[in-house]
Amino acid sequence: MNNRGELYGIGVGPGDPELLTIKAFKLLKNSDVIIAPKSSPKKSSLALDVVKRAFIEWGASLPKVDNITFPMTTVQNKKKINKEIEDKILNNLNHGLNLSFITLGDPFLYSTYRRLTSKIAEYKNIKVKHIPGIYSFSAISARLGKELTWGNDRLAIIPVEKNKNYLQELKNFETVVFLKVTSDLHGLINQLKEAKRLQDAILVEKVGMEDEKIYYELDKLDNINYLSTIIVFKNQTMSR
Amino acid sequence: MNNRGELYGIGVGPGDPELLTIKAFKLLKNSDVIIAPKSSPKKSSLALDVVKRAFIEWGASLPKVDNITFPMTTVQNKKKINKEIEDKILNNLNHGLNLSFITLGDPFLYSTYRRLTSKIAEYKNIKVKHIPGIYSFSAISARLGKELTWGNDRLAIIPVEKNKNYLQELKNFETVVFLKVTSDLHGLINQLKEAKRLQDAILVEKVGMEDEKIYYELDKLDNINYLSTIIVFKNQTMSR
């Protein structure tokens, strides 16, 4: 009888293939199949693009790749996703294969990886290793050469929602990272103005990718890509 | 005339040498000198321990190592630190050497690296690369197999201070990471109880290091190491 394979949940970081960890790279090389999530069958997997570039750069040969498509969740889609997880992950593990499920950034910070873990939790005795990845906002602070926090500074990470008020957080936290900013870009920028923190804010689109862009004048923004983050850095003159 | 060397500010991650990024490892190998910060001359550098283990594991030979001691800052110490930075970093860069300044975790999240950047900002035309590292709390979530955030969850990162009140943050944020918890461990635990979030909280000491420990029953804690983090995970029943 075969031994069951291992499942690796791997964060590949924000886009730069060299920001993979040594552990992630080793486990990917040790995988029989790399499972890459996609939001639609027509799109390419951004996480897979990063992994492919890392393997080219380090002269290693890429294992077999398979995809799982995670469209917006409806009841019907959920059944389809669970069927894909069973076919492509659970069955393969039972056949002794080692599988890597890759995800942009980190598997435990706003990641599709949850769709998988909530399903495989139903199965007993699956060996899983979770490998953390560099967050996009860490890469942005390094890219800009600006510290996120120092001393007793506090940091808030907030996914933007339409028509929400963030004035309290902009007052109480030295540094605020806003994700999914295209959900309400103009609403957010108006609040940054009201909180007098617009001058502390920088937007970075697709950090570490080939078409990365940095914007300093946020009130002149237009047509921003979904993979954008606004960091409101510590205002040296603020007091709380 | 020599070309000036480059300075690399490198986050080595929380303790596990395999959580170094590929980029960090490449730049360390490319360094003439690795500068390791210490809090006192008698102590070893934790960041250097991580780097040494990574080089052993990957069969590479370690470059020359030098230390800079960053004691608690007084005016006298500040002058001494600036003198050390000039001697060991600026002079060496001027002689064409490539230097890596290493730091546990990430250089831009609560790091001693700032002591360096605030000084070298006074000098023109120094080439610097900043390399992000895995944060301790990312490694903890991966270690525990528990997600920090999902969907529209919000995350707060807070260094604990004596006699501060955190009830508002415990109410408004799905996930709260408390750093420097030994500053007021019992005060914090009382607040977790009051906010009815004690059962969501886990403490991890020295994540990824050889003597890592995980504590689930926080009201029974005693004698915790300085390198400890409490994560208050999302309460599945909470509403905001």
Side-chain angles (χ1 to χ4, degrees), chain A residues 16 18 20 22-23 26 58 108 110-111 114 135 138 147-150 153-155 157 168, chain B residues 16 18 20 22-23 26 58 108 110-111 114 135 138 147-150 153-155 157 168-169:
Chain A
D16 179 342
E18 293 202 337
L20 272 170
I22 293 174
K23 190 177 288 243
K26 273 175 80 166
W58 280 53
F108 288 126
Y110 307 108
S111 158
R114 183 186 215 230
Y135 303 145
S138 319
E147 71 210 357
L148 290 173
T149 54
W150 166 251
D153 295 345
R154 311 194 305 169
L155 171 67
I157 318 292
Q168 192 182 327
Chain B
D16 178 341
E18 292 201 338
L20 271 170
I22 294 174
K23 190 178 289 243
K26 273 175 81 166
W58 281 53
F108 288 126
Y110 308 107
S111 158
R114 183 186 217 230
Y135 303 143
S138 321
E147 71 209 358
L148 290 173
T149 55
W150 167 251
D153 295 346
R154 310 192 307 167
L155 171 67
I157 319 292
Q168 193 183 326
E169 290 77 13

Side-chain angles (χ1 to χ4, degrees), chain B residues 125-139:
Chain B
N125 303 321
I126 290 183
K127 279 197 227 163
V128 191
K129 287 198 177 99
H130 310 289
I131 313 304
I134 300 285
Y135 303 143
S136 60
F137 57 87
S138 321

Side-chain angles (χ1 to χ4, degrees), chain B residues 16-34:
Chain B
D16 178 341
E18 292 201 338
L19 290 183
L20 271 170
T21 64
I22 294 174
K23 190 178 289 243
F25 190 69
K26 273 175 81 166
L27 292 177
L28 286 166
K29 278 201 301 185
N30 190 43
S31 301
D32 297 297
V33 185
I34 293 174

Side-chain angles (χ1 to χ4, degrees), chain A residues 16-26 29 54 57-58 106-115 117 129-135 137-139 141-161 164-166 168-169 172-173 180 234 236 240, chain B residues 16-26 29 54 57-58 106-115 117 129-135 137-139 141-161 164-166 168-169 172-173 180 234 236 240:
Chain A
D16 179 342
E18 293 202 337
L19 290 183
L20 272 170
T21 63
I22 293 174
K23 190 177 288 243
F25 190 69
K26 273 175 80 166
K29 278 201 300 186
E57 194 170 321
W58 280 53
D106 177 278
F108 288 126
L109 198 87
Y110 307 108
S111 158
T112 48
Y113 185 56
R114 183 186 215 230
R115 305 257 182 117
T117 51
K129 287 197 177 98
H130 310 290
I131 313 304
I134 300 285
Y135 303 145
F137 58 87
S138 319
S141 72
R143 177 70 184 78
L144 298 172
K146 285 176 82 74
E147 71 210 357
L148 290 173
T149 54
W150 166 251
N152 287 318
D153 295 345
R154 311 194 305 169
L155 171 67
I157 318 292
I158 299 175
V160 173
E161 295 173 76
K164 279 254 183 180
N165 187 306
Y166 302 114
Q168 192 182 327
E169 289 78 11
N172 291 338
F173 285 80
K180 295 204 269 181
K234 184 181 185 175
Q236 302 300 331
R240 64 159 201 263
Chain B
D16 178 341
E18 292 201 338
L19 290 183
L20 271 170
T21 64
I22 294 174
K23 190 178 289 243
F25 190 69
K26 273 175 81 166
K29 278 201 301 185
E57 195 169 321
W58 281 53
D106 178 278
F108 288 126
L109 198 87
Y110 308 107
S111 158
T112 49
Y113 186 55
R114 183 186 217 230
R115 305 256 182 116
T117 51
K129 287 198 177 99
H130 310 289
I131 313 304
I134 300 285
Y135 303 143
F137 57 87
S138 321
S141 72
R143 176 71 184 77
L144 298 174
K146 285 177 81 75
E147 71 209 358
L148 290 173
T149 55
W150 167 251
N152 286 318
D153 295 346
R154 310 192 307 167
L155 171 67
I157 319 292
I158 300 176
V160 174
E161 295 173 75
K164 280 254 182 181
N165 187 305
Y166 302 114
Q168 193 183 326
E169 290 77 13
N172 291 338
F173 285 79
K180 294 204 268 181
K234 183 180 185 176
Q236 302 300 330
R240 62 159 202 262

Side-chain angles (χ1 to χ4, degrees), chain A residues 149, chain B residues 9-17 19-20 28 35-38 44-53 70 101-114 131-137 139 205-209 225-229:
Chain A
T149 54
Chain B
I10 296 183
V12 304
D16 178 341
L19 290 183
L20 271 170
L28 286 166
I35 312 275
K38 287 176 157 197
S44 72
S45 160
L46 292 171
L48 183 60
D49 293 346
V50 176
V51 169
K52 278 182 181 167
R53 285 163 61 207
F70 289 127
F101 183 94
I102 54 176
T103 176
L104 210 61
D106 178 278
F108 288 126
L109 198 87
Y110 308 107
S111 158
T112 49
Y113 186 55
R114 183 186 217 230
I131 313 304
I134 300 285
Y135 303 143
S136 60
F137 57 87
E205 208 179 71
K206 296 185 164 182
V207 64
M209 298 186 188
N225 182 277
Y226 171 80
L227 289 175
S228 291
T229 299

